[in-house]
Amino acid sequence: MDFLTLFLLYLCFVLLVTALLCLCSGRKESFLARSVNRASQVLPLVIPTQLQRVTHRVLHRLFHTRNCLFVVLHVALQAAVFGEYTWEVFGYCRELQFHPLLLLLPYLLLVGNMGCFLLCSRANPGIITKSNHASLVKVYAYDGVMFQRGIVCPTCSLEKPARSKHCSVCGTCVHRFDHHCVWLNSCVGALSARWFLLYLLSLSASAAALALLTTALLLHLHHGARGHHHPVAVPSLVQHLFLTFPRIVFMLGFVILLTLILGGYGAFTLYLAFTNQTTNEWYKSRRLGGSQNRSLVYKNIYSKGIWKNLKEIFRPPTALERKKK
């Protein structure tokens, strides 16, 4: 097996693990948990009962209770990537006289990203309480299909306002609930949606900036070593760069995959913002679209145009503001 095949297998493995972690984020029952549960049901004689119990407890702890494991993993991954960038890429780029603003761009994006991360993870997402329930009920109208009047949350004992949902992880009802993000250890709701959008976009931009700078560095180093008059095949080029700069190449592969995944998720989040939908509403609308009950026809009554939809993200409406108008 040649080197390029091994490197592609590494990239596929990183992509698979990252995709699984993203699928596990923000779901009541994660993809990984369902897979393990199904496997334990199909193979009860192969998997020991004690191992099944331990696995169930670990998965329940990770994805059904609030914990800081993914927050620590998030910080550790960023520290590893930016540590490698600072230790090697930044130094090489300075020697090659890259523009200082280009070299500082990833750090500037990192500062903005960490600021949005702290605001999003520590901010009140829009928890519904007895004191604010009466005002939040008046913010959005009930569409009669996805959100109906008179439904009471059995846990909070409060009538659910339109576009709200009870988060089983946090144990509270959240106004304009989007999803529960394990990477933030918090829900994304009406009051934190703007910080989550900025957090996701800045994270995507920082990964893209690292990928572009690292690629430019490796190409510059390769051309400087080989000259411009000796074309090299792609497998030989990748192998040469890996043998010369192994840590940089591994980091580049990781950030490229991360850029693709985060870019796709960021585009999806922007689409939801432009159309004034939440992840919870989008998922429910797909289920209603595939329902056999033709009387349940969902129509998004909350969209008011791209500009007003974005304005609602960054300045959530309240019943008090409506009265003032």
Side-chain angles (χ1 to χ4, degrees):
M1 186 178 293
D2 59 5
F3 170 80
L4 185 59
T5 303
L6 289 174
F7 186 71
L8 290 176
L9 288 175
Y10 155 73
L11 293 182
C12 292
F13 174 75
V14 174
L15 178 61
L16 177 62
V17 172
T18 309
L20 284 175
L21 292 176
C22 291
L23 286 173
C24 293
S25 174
R27 292 193 176 186
K28 184 177 180 180
E29 185 181 2
S30 68
F31 172 80
L32 184 59
R34 290 200 308 271
S35 301
V36 174
N37 288 336
R38 289 172 183 173
S40 62
Q41 292 174 4
V42 174
L43 303 172
L45 299 178
V46 178
I47 302 177
T49 304
Q50 189 64 27
L51 179 60
Q52 295 181 35
R53 292 175 181 175
V54 172
T55 303
H56 183 269
R57 289 175 183 175
V58 171
L59 292 175
H60 179 79
R61 175 66 178 171
L62 289 179
F63 303 110
H64 296 271
T65 60
R66 296 195 67 184
N67 64 85
C68 296
L69 176 62
F70 284 94
V71 176
V72 174
L73 179 60
H74 171 273
V75 175
L77 288 174
Q78 281 199 324
V81 170
F82 274 90
E84 176 60 25
Y85 172 76
T86 304
W87 182 258
E88 290 195 272
V89 177
F90 186 84
Y92 283 123
C93 289
R94 284 191 61 186
E95 293 179 3
L96 295 174
Q97 297 182 346
F98 277 52
H99 197 284
L101 288 179
L102 291 177
L103 298 181
L104 294 177
L105 180 60
Y107 296 111
L108 297 176
L109 291 171
L110 175 64
V111 172
N113 176 252
M114 293 307 297
C116 293
F117 172 79
L118 292 174
L119 288 171
C120 192
S121 60
R122 300 181 65 87
N124 177 8
I127 297 175
I128 301 173
T129 62
K130 292 182 179 179
S131 59
N132 63 15
H133 175 265
S135 61
L136 293 180
V137 168
K138 302 175 184 178
V139 175
Y140 293 111
Y142 293 89
D143 61 3
V145 178
M146 189 178 296
F147 304 105
Q148 301 181 15
R149 189 180 300 274
I151 298 180
V152 179
C153 175
T155 304
C156 302
S157 300
L158 295 171
E159 181 184 0
K160 291 185 177 181
R163 310 191 77 181
S164 68
K165 187 180 183 297
H166 182 85
C167 177
S168 59
V169 179
C170 297
T172 57
C173 283
V174 178
H175 179 50
R176 198 184 182 277
F177 176 86
D178 191 276
H179 71 286
H180 180 88
C181 182
V182 296
W183 299 100
L184 299 170
N185 196 25
S186 178
C187 287
V188 178
L191 302 183
S192 60
R194 58 185 182 273
W195 302 123
F196 178 76
L197 179 61
L198 294 174
Y199 158 76
L200 186 58
L201 294 178
S202 61
L203 187 60
S204 304
S206 63
L210 288 172
L212 291 174
L213 279 171
T214 306
T215 302
L217 169 66
L218 290 177
L219 292 177
H220 195 286
L221 291 175
H222 173 72
H223 290 158
R226 296 273 182 149
H228 296 281
H229 304 290
H230 301 280
V232 181
V234 174
S236 301
L237 173 62
V238 175
Q239 182 171 355
H240 168 71
L241 291 175
F242 176 79
L243 294 176
T244 310
F245 312 101
R247 290 188 298 271
I248 296 179
V249 173
F250 268 96
M251 184 199 76
L252 176 60
F254 177 75
V255 294
I256 287 177
L257 293 176
L258 199 61
T259 301
L260 295 175
I261 294 174
L262 291 173
Y265 187 36
F268 172 69
T269 305
L270 277 176
Y271 162 76
L272 295 180
F274 290 156
T275 57
N276 204 333
Q277 296 184 81
T278 64
T279 304
N280 178 55
E281 293 166 1
W282 180 87
Y283 179 70
K284 285 185 175 180
S285 67
R286 301 284 82 75
R287 289 196 304 174
L288 290 173
S291 175
Q292 301 297 326
N293 190 352
R294 297 302 178 184
S295 62
L296 296 177
V297 179
Y298 172 71
K299 181 180 179 181
N300 183 11
I301 65 172
Y302 306 112
S303 181
K304 306 168 186 175
I306 294 178
W307 174 249
K308 290 185 178 180
N309 292 340
L310 284 176
K311 184 178 179 181
E312 185 173 313
I313 293 290
F314 289 92
R315 188 181 178 186
T318 64
L320 181 61
E321 289 177 348
R322 289 187 174 185
K323 290 181 180 179
K324 289 181 178 180
K325 293 179 181 179

mmCIF file with all atom_site columns, all heavy atoms in Angstrom, residues 18 23 57 76 87 90 114 191 210 233 244 262 267 285 298 315 324-325:
data_model
loop_
_atom_site.group_PDB
_atom_site.id
_atom_site.type_symbol
_atom_site.label_atom_id
_atom_site.label_alt_id
_atom_site.label_comp_id
_atom_site.label_asym_id
_atom_site.label_entity_id
_atom_site.label_seq_id
_atom_site.pdbx_PDB_ins_code
_atom_site.Cartn_x
_atom_site.Cartn_y
_atom_site.Cartn_z
_atom_site.occupancy
_atom_site.B_iso_or_equiv
_atom_site.pdbx_formal_charge
_atom_site.auth_seq_id
_atom_site.auth_comp_id
_atom_site.auth_asym_id
_atom_site.auth_atom_id
_atom_site.pdbx_PDB_model_num
ATOM 1   N N   . THR A 1 18  ? -15.161 13.086 12.744  1.00 0.00 ? 18  THR A N   1
ATOM 2   C CA  . THR A 1 18  ? -15.722 14.427 12.888  1.00 0.00 ? 18  THR A CA  1
ATOM 3   C C   . THR A 1 18  ? -17.197 14.448 12.546  1.00 0.00 ? 18  THR A C   1
ATOM 4   O O   . THR A 1 18  ? -17.999 15.093 13.232  1.00 0.00 ? 18  THR A O   1
ATOM 5   C CB  . THR A 1 18  ? -14.964 15.422 11.985  1.00 0.00 ? 18  THR A CB  1
ATOM 6   O OG1 . THR A 1 18  ? -13.560 15.298 12.220  1.00 0.00 ? 18  THR A OG1 1
ATOM 7   C CG2 . THR A 1 18  ? -15.395 16.849 12.267  1.00 0.00 ? 18  THR A CG2 1
ATOM 8   N N   . LEU A 1 23  ? -22.915 14.663 14.164  1.00 0.00 ? 23  LEU A N   1
ATOM 9   C CA  . LEU A 1 23  ? -24.239 14.054 14.185  1.00 0.00 ? 23  LEU A CA  1
ATOM 10  C C   . LEU A 1 23  ? -24.743 13.852 15.605  1.00 0.00 ? 23  LEU A C   1
ATOM 11  O O   . LEU A 1 23  ? -25.935 13.932 15.879  1.00 0.00 ? 23  LEU A O   1
ATOM 12  C CB  . LEU A 1 23  ? -24.206 12.695 13.466  1.00 0.00 ? 23  LEU A CB  1
ATOM 13  C CG  . LEU A 1 23  ? -24.121 12.734 11.938  1.00 0.00 ? 23  LEU A CG  1
ATOM 14  C CD1 . LEU A 1 23  ? -23.920 11.327 11.388  1.00 0.00 ? 23  LEU A CD1 1
ATOM 15  C CD2 . LEU A 1 23  ? -25.397 13.336 11.356  1.00 0.00 ? 23  LEU A CD2 1
ATOM 16  N N   . ARG A 1 57  ? -24.366 3.882  30.173  1.00 0.00 ? 57  ARG A N   1
ATOM 17  C CA  . ARG A 1 57  ? -24.130 4.954  31.146  1.00 0.00 ? 57  ARG A CA  1
ATOM 18  C C   . ARG A 1 57  ? -23.202 6.020  30.568  1.00 0.00 ? 57  ARG A C   1
ATOM 19  O O   . ARG A 1 57  ? -23.434 7.224  30.772  1.00 0.00 ? 57  ARG A O   1
ATOM 20  C CB  . ARG A 1 57  ? -23.516 4.363  32.420  1.00 0.00 ? 57  ARG A CB  1
ATOM 21  C CG  . ARG A 1 57  ? -24.490 3.517  33.247  1.00 0.00 ? 57  ARG A CG  1
ATOM 22  C CD  . ARG A 1 57  ? -23.778 2.870  34.414  1.00 0.00 ? 57  ARG A CD  1
ATOM 23  N NE  . ARG A 1 57  ? -24.668 2.000  35.174  1.00 0.00 ? 57  ARG A NE  1
ATOM 24  C CZ  . ARG A 1 57  ? -24.295 1.232  36.177  1.00 0.00 ? 57  ARG A CZ  1
ATOM 25  N NH1 . ARG A 1 57  ? -23.007 1.218  36.552  1.00 0.00 ? 57  ARG A NH1 1
ATOM 26  N NH2 . ARG A 1 57  ? -25.171 0.470  36.801  1.00 0.00 ? 57  ARG A NH2 1
ATOM 27  N N   . ALA A 1 76  ? -9.158  21.839 23.366  1.00 0.00 ? 76  ALA A N   1
ATOM 28  C CA  . ALA A 1 76  ? -7.932  21.075 23.132  1.00 0.00 ? 76  ALA A CA  1
ATOM 29  C C   . ALA A 1 76  ? -7.600  21.009 21.638  1.00 0.00 ? 76  ALA A C   1
ATOM 30  O O   . ALA A 1 76  ? -6.429  21.138 21.244  1.00 0.00 ? 76  ALA A O   1
ATOM 31  C CB  . ALA A 1 76  ? -8.076  19.669 23.706  1.00 0.00 ? 76  ALA A CB  1
ATOM 32  N N   . TRP A 1 87  ? 4.034   27.173 16.178  1.00 0.00 ? 87  TRP A N   1
ATOM 33  C CA  . TRP A 1 87  ? 5.346   26.563 16.362  1.00 0.00 ? 87  TRP A CA  1
ATOM 34  C C   . TRP A 1 87  ? 6.123   26.433 15.050  1.00 0.00 ? 87  TRP A C   1
ATOM 35  O O   . TRP A 1 87  ? 7.342   26.665 15.005  1.00 0.00 ? 87  TRP A O   1
ATOM 36  C CB  . TRP A 1 87  ? 5.191   25.191 17.008  1.00 0.00 ? 87  TRP A CB  1
ATOM 37  C CG  . TRP A 1 87  ? 6.478   24.491 17.297  1.00 0.00 ? 87  TRP A CG  1
ATOM 38  C CD1 . TRP A 1 87  ? 7.053   23.472 16.588  1.00 0.00 ? 87  TRP A CD1 1
ATOM 39  C CD2 . TRP A 1 87  ? 7.379   24.769 18.381  1.00 0.00 ? 87  TRP A CD2 1
ATOM 40  N NE1 . TRP A 1 87  ? 8.236   23.083 17.162  1.00 0.00 ? 87  TRP A NE1 1
ATOM 41  C CE2 . TRP A 1 87  ? 8.464   23.857 18.268  1.00 0.00 ? 87  TRP A CE2 1
ATOM 42  C CE3 . TRP A 1 87  ? 7.369   25.672 19.439  1.00 0.00 ? 87  TRP A CE3 1
ATOM 43  C CZ2 . TRP A 1 87  ? 9.520   23.847 19.173  1.00 0.00 ? 87  TRP A CZ2 1
ATOM 44  C CZ3 . TRP A 1 87  ? 8.433   25.653 20.341  1.00 0.00 ? 87  TRP A CZ3 1
ATOM 45  C CH2 . TRP A 1 87  ? 9.480   24.757 20.199  1.00 0.00 ? 87  TRP A CH2 1
ATOM 46  N N   . PHE A 1 90  ? 3.920   29.553 11.359  1.00 0.00 ? 90  PHE A N   1
ATOM 47  C CA  . PHE A 1 90  ? 4.130   30.989 11.542  1.00 0.00 ? 90  PHE A CA  1
ATOM 48  C C   . PHE A 1 90  ? 5.602   31.349 11.349  1.00 0.00 ? 90  PHE A C   1
ATOM 49  O O   . PHE A 1 90  ? 5.940   32.355 10.706  1.00 0.00 ? 90  PHE A O   1
ATOM 50  C CB  . PHE A 1 90  ? 3.645   31.417 12.922  1.00 0.00 ? 90  PHE A CB  1
ATOM 51  C CG  . PHE A 1 90  ? 3.679   32.900 13.149  1.00 0.00 ? 90  PHE A CG  1
ATOM 52  C CD1 . PHE A 1 90  ? 2.630   33.707 12.731  1.00 0.00 ? 90  PHE A CD1 1
ATOM 53  C CD2 . PHE A 1 90  ? 4.763   33.500 13.778  1.00 0.00 ? 90  PHE A CD2 1
ATOM 54  C CE1 . PHE A 1 90  ? 2.664   35.074 12.933  1.00 0.00 ? 90  PHE A CE1 1
ATOM 55  C CE2 . PHE A 1 90  ? 4.813   34.870 13.984  1.00 0.00 ? 90  PHE A CE2 1
ATOM 56  C CZ  . PHE A 1 90  ? 3.757   35.654 13.562  1.00 0.00 ? 90  PHE A CZ  1
ATOM 57  N N   . MET A 1 114 ? -13.457 32.872 20.104  1.00 0.00 ? 114 MET A N   1
ATOM 58  C CA  . MET A 1 114 ? -13.525 32.551 21.525  1.00 0.00 ? 114 MET A CA  1
ATOM 59  C C   . MET A 1 114 ? -14.465 33.497 22.263  1.00 0.00 ? 114 MET A C   1
ATOM 60  O O   . MET A 1 114 ? -15.143 33.099 23.209  1.00 0.00 ? 114 MET A O   1
ATOM 61  C CB  . MET A 1 114 ? -12.116 32.618 22.142  1.00 0.00 ? 114 MET A CB  1
ATOM 62  C CG  . MET A 1 114 ? -11.174 31.540 21.626  1.00 0.00 ? 114 MET A CG  1
ATOM 63  S SD  . MET A 1 114 ? -11.836 29.857 21.771  1.00 0.00 ? 114 MET A SD  1
ATOM 64  C CE  . MET A 1 114 ? -12.003 29.712 23.557  1.00 0.00 ? 114 MET A CE  1
ATOM 65  N N   . LEU A 1 191 ? -32.167 34.121 22.487  1.00 0.00 ? 191 LEU A N   1
ATOM 66  C CA  . LEU A 1 191 ? -31.220 35.112 23.000  1.00 0.00 ? 191 LEU A CA  1
ATOM 67  C C   . LEU A 1 191 ? -29.761 34.782 22.697  1.00 0.00 ? 191 LEU A C   1
ATOM 68  O O   . LEU A 1 191 ? -28.887 35.610 22.924  1.00 0.00 ? 191 LEU A O   1
ATOM 69  C CB  . LEU A 1 191 ? -31.411 35.280 24.505  1.00 0.00 ? 191 LEU A CB  1
ATOM 70  C CG  . LEU A 1 191 ? -32.814 35.703 24.972  1.00 0.00 ? 191 LEU A CG  1
ATOM 71  C CD1 . LEU A 1 191 ? -32.855 35.904 26.474  1.00 0.00 ? 191 LEU A CD1 1
ATOM 72  C CD2 . LEU A 1 191 ? -33.252 36.975 24.245  1.00 0.00 ? 191 LEU A CD2 1
ATOM 73  N N   . LEU A 1 210 ? -6.367  29.107 8.141   1.00 0.00 ? 210 LEU A N   1
ATOM 74  C CA  . LEU A 1 210 ? -5.248  28.218 8.448   1.00 0.00 ? 210 LEU A CA  1
ATOM 75  C C   . LEU A 1 210 ? -4.938  27.299 7.274   1.00 0.00 ? 210 LEU A C   1
ATOM 76  O O   . LEU A 1 210 ? -3.760  27.065 6.944   1.00 0.00 ? 210 LEU A O   1
ATOM 77  C CB  . LEU A 1 210 ? -5.580  27.394 9.692   1.00 0.00 ? 210 LEU A CB  1
ATOM 78  C CG  . LEU A 1 210 ? -5.579  28.129 11.034  1.00 0.00 ? 210 LEU A CG  1
ATOM 79  C CD1 . LEU A 1 210 ? -6.124  27.229 12.135  1.00 0.00 ? 210 LEU A CD1 1
ATOM 80  C CD2 . LEU A 1 210 ? -4.184  28.601 11.390  1.00 0.00 ? 210 LEU A CD2 1
ATOM 81  N N   . ALA A 1 233 ? 4.416   14.655 -9.928  1.00 0.00 ? 233 ALA A N   1
ATOM 82  C CA  . ALA A 1 233 ? 3.089   14.078 -9.783  1.00 0.00 ? 233 ALA A CA  1
ATOM 83  C C   . ALA A 1 233 ? 2.551   14.355 -8.382  1.00 0.00 ? 233 ALA A C   1
ATOM 84  O O   . ALA A 1 233 ? 3.312   14.509 -7.414  1.00 0.00 ? 233 ALA A O   1
ATOM 85  C CB  . ALA A 1 233 ? 3.136   12.576 -10.043 1.00 0.00 ? 233 ALA A CB  1
ATOM 86  N N   . THR A 1 244 ? 8.906   15.569 4.698   1.00 0.00 ? 244 THR A N   1
ATOM 87  C CA  . THR A 1 244 ? 9.674   16.744 5.106   1.00 0.00 ? 244 THR A CA  1
ATOM 88  C C   . THR A 1 244 ? 8.995   17.498 6.248   1.00 0.00 ? 244 THR A C   1
ATOM 89  O O   . THR A 1 244 ? 9.663   17.940 7.189   1.00 0.00 ? 244 THR A O   1
ATOM 90  C CB  . THR A 1 244 ? 9.850   17.700 3.904   1.00 0.00 ? 244 THR A CB  1
ATOM 91  O OG1 . THR A 1 244 ? 10.339  16.963 2.775   1.00 0.00 ? 244 THR A OG1 1
ATOM 92  C CG2 . THR A 1 244 ? 10.837  18.808 4.245   1.00 0.00 ? 244 THR A CG2 1
ATOM 93  N N   . LEU A 1 262 ? -17.482 22.512 8.580   1.00 0.00 ? 262 LEU A N   1
ATOM 94  C CA  . LEU A 1 262 ? -17.992 23.737 9.185   1.00 0.00 ? 262 LEU A CA  1
ATOM 95  C C   . LEU A 1 262 ? -18.594 24.670 8.134   1.00 0.00 ? 262 LEU A C   1
ATOM 96  O O   . LEU A 1 262 ? -19.589 25.357 8.402   1.00 0.00 ? 262 LEU A O   1
ATOM 97  C CB  . LEU A 1 262 ? -16.868 24.455 9.934   1.00 0.00 ? 262 LEU A CB  1
ATOM 98  C CG  . LEU A 1 262 ? -16.353 23.762 11.196  1.00 0.00 ? 262 LEU A CG  1
ATOM 99  C CD1 . LEU A 1 262 ? -15.138 24.500 11.740  1.00 0.00 ? 262 LEU A CD1 1
ATOM 100 C CD2 . LEU A 1 262 ? -17.443 23.696 12.261  1.00 0.00 ? 262 LEU A CD2 1
ATOM 101 N N   . ALA A 1 267 ? -23.284 27.239 6.106   1.00 0.00 ? 267 ALA A N   1
ATOM 102 C CA  . ALA A 1 267 ? -24.206 27.589 5.023   1.00 0.00 ? 267 ALA A CA  1
ATOM 103 C C   . ALA A 1 267 ? -25.628 27.179 5.379   1.00 0.00 ? 267 ALA A C   1
ATOM 104 O O   . ALA A 1 267 ? -26.587 27.921 5.105   1.00 0.00 ? 267 ALA A O   1
ATOM 105 C CB  . ALA A 1 267 ? -23.764 26.915 3.730   1.00 0.00 ? 267 ALA A CB  1
ATOM 106 N N   . SER A 1 285 ? -40.418 19.993 10.044  1.00 0.00 ? 285 SER A N   1
ATOM 107 C CA  . SER A 1 285 ? -41.077 20.218 8.753   1.00 0.00 ? 285 SER A CA  1
ATOM 108 C C   . SER A 1 285 ? -40.774 19.092 7.774   1.00 0.00 ? 285 SER A C   1
ATOM 109 O O   . SER A 1 285 ? -41.618 18.722 6.953   1.00 0.00 ? 285 SER A O   1
ATOM 110 C CB  . SER A 1 285 ? -40.650 21.563 8.160   1.00 0.00 ? 285 SER A CB  1
ATOM 111 O OG  . SER A 1 285 ? -39.278 21.552 7.795   1.00 0.00 ? 285 SER A OG  1
ATOM 112 N N   . TYR A 1 298 ? -47.622 22.044 6.419   1.00 0.00 ? 298 TYR A N   1
ATOM 113 C CA  . TYR A 1 298 ? -46.857 23.062 7.145   1.00 0.00 ? 298 TYR A CA  1
ATOM 114 C C   . TYR A 1 298 ? -46.471 24.200 6.222   1.00 0.00 ? 298 TYR A C   1
ATOM 115 O O   . TYR A 1 298 ? -46.026 23.988 5.092   1.00 0.00 ? 298 TYR A O   1
ATOM 116 C CB  . TYR A 1 298 ? -45.598 22.443 7.756   1.00 0.00 ? 298 TYR A CB  1
ATOM 117 C CG  . TYR A 1 298 ? -44.678 23.474 8.359   1.00 0.00 ? 298 TYR A CG  1
ATOM 118 C CD1 . TYR A 1 298 ? -45.014 24.132 9.530   1.00 0.00 ? 298 TYR A CD1 1
ATOM 119 C CD2 . TYR A 1 298 ? -43.474 23.801 7.731   1.00 0.00 ? 298 TYR A CD2 1
ATOM 120 C CE1 . TYR A 1 298 ? -44.176 25.094 10.083  1.00 0.00 ? 298 TYR A CE1 1
ATOM 121 C CE2 . TYR A 1 298 ? -42.622 24.749 8.276   1.00 0.00 ? 298 TYR A CE2 1
ATOM 122 C CZ  . TYR A 1 298 ? -42.987 25.387 9.457   1.00 0.00 ? 298 TYR A CZ  1
ATOM 123 O OH  . TYR A 1 298 ? -42.159 26.340 9.987   1.00 0.00 ? 298 TYR A OH  1
ATOM 124 N N   . ARG A 1 315 ? -31.661 40.903 16.915  1.00 0.00 ? 315 ARG A N   1
ATOM 125 C CA  . ARG A 1 315 ? -32.463 41.650 17.873  1.00 0.00 ? 315 ARG A CA  1
ATOM 126 C C   . ARG A 1 315 ? -33.786 40.919 18.065  1.00 0.00 ? 315 ARG A C   1
ATOM 127 O O   . ARG A 1 315 ? -34.790 41.242 17.429  1.00 0.00 ? 315 ARG A O   1
ATOM 128 C CB  . ARG A 1 315 ? -32.711 43.078 17.394  1.00 0.00 ? 315 ARG A CB  1
ATOM 129 C CG  . ARG A 1 315 ? -33.368 43.947 18.455  1.00 0.00 ? 315 ARG A CG  1
ATOM 130 C CD  . ARG A 1 315 ? -33.619 45.349 17.927  1.00 0.00 ? 315 ARG A CD  1
ATOM 131 N NE  . ARG A 1 315 ? -34.296 46.152 18.928  1.00 0.00 ? 315 ARG A NE  1
ATOM 132 C CZ  . ARG A 1 315 ? -34.748 47.386 18.714  1.00 0.00 ? 315 ARG A CZ  1
ATOM 133 N NH1 . ARG A 1 315 ? -34.580 47.947 17.517  1.00 0.00 ? 315 ARG A NH1 1
ATOM 134 N NH2 . ARG A 1 315 ? -35.355 48.046 19.667  1.00 0.00 ? 315 ARG A NH2 1
ATOM 135 N N   . LYS A 1 324 ? -44.402 48.948 22.750  1.00 0.00 ? 324 LYS A N   1
ATOM 136 C CA  . LYS A 1 324 ? -43.820 50.266 22.562  1.00 0.00 ? 324 LYS A CA  1
ATOM 137 C C   . LYS A 1 324 ? -44.057 50.791 21.158  1.00 0.00 ? 324 LYS A C   1
ATOM 138 O O   . LYS A 1 324 ? -44.268 51.974 20.952  1.00 0.00 ? 324 LYS A O   1
ATOM 139 C CB  . LYS A 1 324 ? -42.305 50.226 22.855  1.00 0.00 ? 324 LYS A CB  1
ATOM 140 C CG  . LYS A 1 324 ? -41.996 50.059 24.337  1.00 0.00 ? 324 LYS A CG  1
ATOM 141 C CD  . LYS A 1 324 ? -40.484 50.050 24.533  1.00 0.00 ? 324 LYS A CD  1
ATOM 142 C CE  . LYS A 1 324 ? -40.135 49.924 26.027  1.00 0.00 ? 324 LYS A CE  1
ATOM 143 N NZ  . LYS A 1 324 ? -38.663 49.914 26.220  1.00 0.00 ? 324 LYS A NZ  1
ATOM 144 N N   . LYS A 1 325 ? -44.041 49.886 20.158  1.00 0.00 ? 325 LYS A N   1
ATOM 145 C CA  . LYS A 1 325 ? -44.263 50.303 18.787  1.00 0.00 ? 325 LYS A CA  1
ATOM 146 C C   . LYS A 1 325 ? -45.719 50.724 18.574  1.00 0.00 ? 325 LYS A C   1
ATOM 147 O O   . LYS A 1 325 ? -46.002 51.548 17.750  1.00 0.00 ? 325 LYS A O   1
ATOM 148 C CB  . LYS A 1 325 ? -43.906 49.162 17.817  1.00 0.00 ? 325 LYS A CB  1
ATOM 149 C CG  . LYS A 1 325 ? -42.425 48.844 17.807  1.00 0.00 ? 325 LYS A CG  1
ATOM 150 C CD  . LYS A 1 325 ? -42.122 47.713 16.863  1.00 0.00 ? 325 LYS A CD  1
ATOM 151 C CE  . LYS A 1 325 ? -40.641 47.386 16.876  1.00 0.00 ? 325 LYS A CE  1
ATOM 152 N NZ  . LYS A 1 325 ? -40.302 46.265 15.995  1.00 0.00 ? 325 LYS A NZ  1
#
